[in-house]
Amino acid sequence: MEKYNIELKKDTAKYLQIYNHIKSMIGDKKIIENEKLPPIRKLSHLIGVNNTTIVKVYELLEKEGYIYKTVGSGTFVSPMKSEKEAKVIKKEGLIHLDSGNPSTDMFPIEDFKSAVNMALTNEGSSIFEYDEGLGFDDLREKLVDYLKEKEISTTKDNIQIISGAQQGIDIVCKGLINYSDVVFVEEPTYNGAIQVFKSRGAKIISIPMLDDGIDIGILKLKLDKVKPKLIYTMPNFQNPTGISYSKYKKKKLIELAEEYDFYIVEDDFISDFKFESIDNKPLKSYDDKNRVIYIKSFSKILMPGLRIGMVEVPNELLKKVLWAKYSSDISTPGLIQKSMYYYMKYFDWNEYLKSVENVYLEKYKLTKKLIKDKLEGRLKVRNSDGGINFFLELPRGYLSQDFTDFMLDKGVSILPGTYFFDNIIDDRFFRINIAKSSIQDLEKGISIISDNLDEFFTEYKNIAKIKSNKLFY
């Protein structure tokens, strides 16, 4: 406890001095990953400040990712992600089963280059002006047609062009979420969304995922106690689990949104493809109550570096979202918008999507078989009907952070489950993503995991017990 003591100066806010002190100790590794911090009352008594000062310190440290809270257990130092990332970059020959970006060999470079040239020729210098408002008119018209094929009926006046799905989540939050508003999320879910909600001061409530979508029973129990402003969901091939909602749950979620008066943010990144699912229709296609804010990203089906997507917004929210977009970056670059329009119009968009679907489907089927043949019985895997993610579970007593570090040394990079939970209660999960890797790398990577799994179980058995006791007791 003594290392936390600090002599406070009068000319600087107390909470900032304490915050900087703890932050420095984490950076200097005087406090290590997953080490438990003192309870609020004990630390406030030691330093000689009131409890609210320490609460403010812990909230700031958590917001910036230095610490995490576990319900019923306390506050702990977060694993240092930057160190892991640096290690990944430096290691040559690494098989990446962690990256969610598509393989560059799928990028339609030549066709898109032609689309860029068409945009420059036809639009002239106006292409470099600010395209204020909802975005390029012709592109929004084209997206209306695109959405019709997904059974979503809308108009160009309800579509806001955005610079990627992350911005879509951000501007929806800017427009709708106030400090202390409640947001429901799936558990586990996309970390980028969690961070956006936290940055707006929202209170996050996580609802578990079942094999056919969000747990409706628990959702209703929560709704009876607290009213959320919105719920964030990925109904098709969810990240990280790969789970898709049943038709019943898609309809039920919309019914509940109407009954309890909240909005649904649908993050759709890959519903263009059916894989082995029964129903890959977007939630928005079932929305007869006008409750769904539909975010569509093209990052996983085209080229992530384009940073382009759209938000389809109910009429009553349009002004708020438009203001939030303008305050973020005024507009998505005109060159990108107009090039996207010419690509969708003059280069067979549907044929391109089919080619991408074939690549993803081959990778998905292969990985599913490899996991079944090589890992079944030793690891659990969430059931899914498609997508680019597999979510696996270590036996109780082992930690995913240990496993990801262990596999990194063996030449395979995977993502620990800690990235996908708001509150880390049981860190046994990890994600394999198939988007970037070749067929050969998928075969080799899964084989490396399989061949080294027993060594990990043996080597980390006692370490896992010690860490588990530290975390949960």
mmCIF file of all heavy atoms in Angstrom, residues 179-203:
data_model
loop_
_atom_site.group_PDB
_atom_site.id
_atom_site.type_symbol
_atom_site.label_atom_id
_atom_site.label_comp_id
_atom_site.label_asym_id
_atom_site.label_seq_id
_atom_site.Cartn_x
_atom_site.Cartn_y
_atom_site.Cartn_z
ATOM 1 N N TYR A 179 -24.690 12.205 -20.836
ATOM 2 C CA TYR A 179 -23.990 11.618 -19.690
ATOM 3 C C TYR A 179 -24.972 10.859 -18.804
ATOM 4 O O TYR A 179 -26.047 11.351 -18.483
ATOM 5 C CB TYR A 179 -23.300 12.719 -18.884
ATOM 6 C CG TYR A 179 -22.449 12.179 -17.753
ATOM 7 C CD1 TYR A 179 -21.170 11.693 -17.994
ATOM 8 C CD2 TYR A 179 -22.942 12.110 -16.452
ATOM 9 C CE1 TYR A 179 -20.389 11.181 -16.968
ATOM 10 C CE2 TYR A 179 -22.173 11.603 -15.418
ATOM 11 C CZ TYR A 179 -20.896 11.140 -15.684
ATOM 12 O OH TYR A 179 -20.144 10.630 -14.662
ATOM 13 N N SER A 180 -24.610 9.645 -18.440
ATOM 14 C CA SER A 180 -25.354 8.733 -17.547
ATOM 15 C C SER A 180 -26.539 8.043 -18.224
ATOM 16 O O SER A 180 -27.258 7.283 -17.583
ATOM 17 C CB SER A 180 -25.824 9.430 -16.260
ATOM 18 O OG SER A 180 -26.998 10.193 -16.472
ATOM 19 N N ASP A 181 -26.762 8.273 -19.541
ATOM 20 C CA ASP A 181 -27.766 7.479 -20.253
ATOM 21 C C ASP A 181 -27.343 6.013 -20.269
ATOM 22 O O ASP A 181 -26.145 5.695 -20.253
ATOM 23 C CB ASP A 181 -27.916 7.961 -21.705
ATOM 24 C CG ASP A 181 -28.771 9.212 -21.816
ATOM 25 O OD1 ASP A 181 -29.492 9.516 -20.851
ATOM 26 O OD2 ASP A 181 -28.718 9.877 -22.866
ATOM 27 N N VAL A 182 -28.323 5.132 -20.319
ATOM 28 C CA VAL A 182 -28.050 3.689 -20.297
ATOM 29 C C VAL A 182 -28.021 3.135 -21.728
ATOM 30 O O VAL A 182 -28.893 3.440 -22.542
ATOM 31 C CB VAL A 182 -29.106 2.943 -19.470
ATOM 32 C CG1 VAL A 182 -28.894 1.424 -19.554
ATOM 33 C CG2 VAL A 182 -29.058 3.404 -18.014
ATOM 34 N N VAL A 183 -27.005 2.342 -22.002
ATOM 35 C CA VAL A 183 -26.882 1.651 -23.286
ATOM 36 C C VAL A 183 -26.728 0.161 -23.024
ATOM 37 O O VAL A 183 -25.889 -0.246 -22.226
ATOM 38 C CB VAL A 183 -25.664 2.169 -24.085
ATOM 39 C CG1 VAL A 183 -25.476 1.337 -25.351
ATOM 40 C CG2 VAL A 183 -25.825 3.637 -24.433
ATOM 41 N N PHE A 184 -27.559 -0.645 -23.680
ATOM 42 C CA PHE A 184 -27.421 -2.097 -23.599
ATOM 43 C C PHE A 184 -26.511 -2.564 -24.732
ATOM 44 O O PHE A 184 -26.602 -2.065 -25.862
ATOM 45 C CB PHE A 184 -28.771 -2.790 -23.740
ATOM 46 C CG PHE A 184 -29.654 -2.711 -22.522
ATOM 47 C CD1 PHE A 184 -29.299 -1.969 -21.419
ATOM 48 C CD2 PHE A 184 -30.873 -3.384 -22.487
ATOM 49 C CE1 PHE A 184 -30.106 -1.898 -20.303
ATOM 50 C CE2 PHE A 184 -31.699 -3.331 -21.381
ATOM 51 C CZ PHE A 184 -31.322 -2.584 -20.288
ATOM 52 N N VAL A 185 -25.645 -3.532 -24.448
ATOM 53 C CA VAL A 185 -24.798 -4.137 -25.471
ATOM 54 C C VAL A 185 -24.850 -5.647 -25.333
ATOM 55 O O VAL A 185 -25.166 -6.177 -24.270
ATOM 56 C CB VAL A 185 -23.327 -3.664 -25.374
ATOM 57 C CG1 VAL A 185 -23.231 -2.154 -25.530
ATOM 58 C CG2 VAL A 185 -22.679 -4.109 -24.058
ATOM 59 N N GLU A 186 -24.533 -6.331 -26.417
ATOM 60 C CA GLU A 186 -24.388 -7.781 -26.354
ATOM 61 C C GLU A 186 -23.115 -8.111 -25.570
ATOM 62 O O GLU A 186 -22.185 -7.316 -25.529
ATOM 63 C CB GLU A 186 -24.275 -8.351 -27.767
ATOM 64 C CG GLU A 186 -25.482 -8.074 -28.637
ATOM 65 C CD GLU A 186 -25.205 -8.223 -30.115
ATOM 66 O OE1 GLU A 186 -24.028 -8.106 -30.522
ATOM 67 O OE2 GLU A 186 -26.160 -8.445 -30.871
ATOM 68 N N GLU A 187 -23.095 -9.294 -24.980
ATOM 69 C CA GLU A 187 -21.884 -9.736 -24.276
ATOM 70 C C GLU A 187 -21.491 -11.120 -24.763
ATOM 71 O O GLU A 187 -22.261 -12.068 -24.602
ATOM 72 C CB GLU A 187 -22.119 -9.771 -22.767
ATOM 73 C CG GLU A 187 -20.850 -10.111 -21.985
ATOM 74 C CD GLU A 187 -21.080 -10.163 -20.488
ATOM 75 O OE1 GLU A 187 -21.932 -10.985 -20.070
ATOM 76 O OE2 GLU A 187 -20.427 -9.411 -19.757
ATOM 77 N N PRO A 188 -20.310 -11.194 -25.433
ATOM 78 C CA PRO A 188 -19.307 -10.160 -25.717
ATOM 79 C C PRO A 188 -19.723 -9.305 -26.907
ATOM 80 O O PRO A 188 -20.696 -9.619 -27.595
ATOM 81 C CB PRO A 188 -18.061 -10.981 -26.048
ATOM 82 C CG PRO A 188 -18.630 -12.248 -26.654
ATOM 83 C CD PRO A 188 -19.890 -12.534 -25.894
ATOM 84 N N THR A 189 -18.947 -8.231 -27.163
ATOM 85 C CA THR A 189 -19.261 -7.362 -28.290
ATOM 86 C C THR A 189 -18.019 -6.635 -28.775
ATOM 87 O O THR A 189 -16.935 -6.791 -28.204
ATOM 88 C CB THR A 189 -20.361 -6.354 -27.906
ATOM 89 O OG1 THR A 189 -20.844 -5.717 -29.092
ATOM 90 C CG2 THR A 189 -19.846 -5.293 -26.948
ATOM 91 N N TYR A 190 -18.190 -5.821 -29.797
ATOM 92 C CA TYR A 190 -17.108 -5.062 -30.418
ATOM 93 C C TYR A 190 -16.568 -4.006 -29.458
ATOM 94 O O TYR A 190 -17.306 -3.160 -28.950
ATOM 95 C CB TYR A 190 -17.641 -4.422 -31.693
ATOM 96 C CG TYR A 190 -16.745 -3.414 -32.356
ATOM 97 C CD1 TYR A 190 -15.421 -3.712 -32.662
ATOM 98 C CD2 TYR A 190 -17.232 -2.156 -32.706
ATOM 99 C CE1 TYR A 190 -14.602 -2.780 -33.282
ATOM 100 C CE2 TYR A 190 -16.429 -1.222 -33.334
ATOM 101 C CZ TYR A 190 -15.121 -1.534 -33.616
ATOM 102 O OH TYR A 190 -14.318 -0.609 -34.239
ATOM 103 N N ASN A 191 -15.265 -4.054 -29.204
ATOM 104 C CA ASN A 191 -14.640 -3.171 -28.225
ATOM 105 C C ASN A 191 -14.737 -1.699 -28.624
ATOM 106 O O ASN A 191 -14.891 -0.821 -27.765
ATOM 107 C CB ASN A 191 -13.169 -3.560 -28.037
ATOM 108 C CG ASN A 191 -12.456 -2.686 -27.033
ATOM 109 O OD1 ASN A 191 -11.826 -1.698 -27.391
ATOM 110 N ND2 ASN A 191 -12.567 -3.024 -25.756
ATOM 111 N N GLY A 192 -14.662 -1.411 -29.921
ATOM 112 C CA GLY A 192 -14.730 -0.024 -30.372
ATOM 113 C C GLY A 192 -16.027 0.650 -29.976
ATOM 114 O O GLY A 192 -16.050 1.848 -29.661
ATOM 115 N N ALA A 193 -17.117 -0.114 -29.989
ATOM 116 C CA ALA A 193 -18.414 0.440 -29.587
ATOM 117 C C ALA A 193 -18.429 0.722 -28.084
ATOM 118 O O ALA A 193 -18.916 1.774 -27.643
ATOM 119 C CB ALA A 193 -19.538 -0.529 -29.951
ATOM 120 N N ILE A 194 -17.895 -0.210 -27.295
ATOM 121 C CA ILE A 194 -17.836 -0.008 -25.843
ATOM 122 C C ILE A 194 -17.098 1.276 -25.511
ATOM 123 O O ILE A 194 -17.543 2.075 -24.674
ATOM 124 C CB ILE A 194 -17.152 -1.215 -25.154
ATOM 125 C CG1 ILE A 194 -18.022 -2.468 -25.263
ATOM 126 C CG2 ILE A 194 -16.861 -0.904 -23.687
ATOM 127 C CD1 ILE A 194 -17.371 -3.716 -24.711
ATOM 128 N N GLN A 195 -15.966 1.497 -26.174
ATOM 129 C CA GLN A 195 -15.160 2.681 -25.888
ATOM 130 C C GLN A 195 -15.887 3.967 -26.263
ATOM 131 O O GLN A 195 -15.784 4.975 -25.569
ATOM 132 C CB GLN A 195 -13.813 2.596 -26.613
ATOM 133 C CG GLN A 195 -12.932 1.433 -26.181
ATOM 134 C CD GLN A 195 -12.763 1.355 -24.664
ATOM 135 O OE1 GLN A 195 -12.525 2.369 -24.005
ATOM 136 N NE2 GLN A 195 -12.897 0.159 -24.118
ATOM 137 N N VAL A 196 -16.641 3.949 -27.367
ATOM 138 C CA VAL A 196 -17.417 5.129 -27.756
ATOM 139 C C VAL A 196 -18.484 5.436 -26.714
ATOM 140 O O VAL A 196 -18.657 6.591 -26.299
ATOM 141 C CB VAL A 196 -18.077 4.929 -29.147
ATOM 142 C CG1 VAL A 196 -19.082 6.045 -29.427
ATOM 143 C CG2 VAL A 196 -17.017 4.910 -30.234
ATOM 144 N N PHE A 197 -19.203 4.419 -26.266
ATOM 145 C CA PHE A 197 -20.249 4.639 -25.275
ATOM 146 C C PHE A 197 -19.660 5.182 -23.974
ATOM 147 O O PHE A 197 -20.227 6.085 -23.344
ATOM 148 C CB PHE A 197 -21.011 3.338 -25.001
ATOM 149 C CG PHE A 197 -21.700 2.773 -26.211
ATOM 150 C CD1 PHE A 197 -21.711 1.411 -26.462
ATOM 151 C CD2 PHE A 197 -22.336 3.607 -27.128
ATOM 152 C CE1 PHE A 197 -22.342 0.890 -27.581
ATOM 153 C CE2 PHE A 197 -22.969 3.089 -28.249
ATOM 154 C CZ PHE A 197 -22.969 1.726 -28.473
ATOM 155 N N LYS A 198 -18.528 4.645 -23.580
ATOM 156 C CA LYS A 198 -17.879 5.129 -22.352
ATOM 157 C C LYS A 198 -17.414 6.573 -22.500
ATOM 158 O O LYS A 198 -17.483 7.349 -21.549
ATOM 159 C CB LYS A 198 -16.689 4.224 -21.993
ATOM 160 C CG LYS A 198 -17.095 2.894 -21.390
ATOM 161 C CD LYS A 198 -15.872 2.109 -20.950
ATOM 162 C CE LYS A 198 -16.278 0.836 -20.224
ATOM 163 N NZ LYS A 198 -15.109 0.064 -19.750
ATOM 164 N N SER A 199 -16.931 6.926 -23.682
ATOM 165 C CA SER A 199 -16.447 8.291 -23.893
ATOM 166 C C SER A 199 -17.568 9.310 -23.772
ATOM 167 O O SER A 199 -17.321 10.482 -23.489
ATOM 168 C CB SER A 199 -15.777 8.413 -25.265
ATOM 169 O OG SER A 199 -16.738 8.393 -26.309
ATOM 170 N N ARG A 200 -18.798 8.879 -23.977
ATOM 171 C CA ARG A 200 -19.956 9.766 -23.832
ATOM 172 C C ARG A 200 -20.525 9.724 -22.422
ATOM 173 O O ARG A 200 -21.526 10.380 -22.143
ATOM 174 C CB ARG A 200 -21.046 9.361 -24.828
ATOM 175 C CG ARG A 200 -20.669 9.502 -26.288
ATOM 176 C CD ARG A 200 -20.389 10.928 -26.690
ATOM 177 N NE ARG A 200 -21.548 11.791 -26.498
ATOM 178 C CZ ARG A 200 -21.515 13.112 -26.573
ATOM 179 N NH1 ARG A 200 -20.384 13.722 -26.826
ATOM 180 N NH2 ARG A 200 -22.607 13.825 -26.392
ATOM 181 N N GLY A 201 -19.899 8.961 -21.544
ATOM 182 C CA GLY A 201 -20.361 8.887 -20.157
ATOM 183 C C GLY A 201 -21.575 8.004 -19.971
ATOM 184 O O GLY A 201 -22.299 8.121 -18.975
ATOM 185 N N ALA A 202 -21.826 7.099 -20.935
ATOM 186 C CA ALA A 202 -22.985 6.210 -20.837
ATOM 187 C C ALA A 202 -22.739 5.099 -19.826
ATOM 188 O O ALA A 202 -21.604 4.695 -19.588
ATOM 189 C CB ALA A 202 -23.298 5.609 -22.203
ATOM 190 N N LYS A 203 -23.832 4.621 -19.237
ATOM 191 C CA LYS A 203 -23.773 3.453 -18.361
ATOM 192 C C LYS A 203 -24.073 2.221 -19.220
ATOM 193 O O LYS A 203 -25.131 2.134 -19.838
ATOM 194 C CB LYS A 203 -24.796 3.572 -17.240
ATOM 195 C CG LYS A 203 -24.500 4.707 -16.264
ATOM 196 C CD LYS A 203 -25.541 4.772 -15.171
ATOM 197 C CE LYS A 203 -25.232 5.896 -14.184
ATOM 198 N NZ LYS A 203 -26.280 6.025 -13.146
#
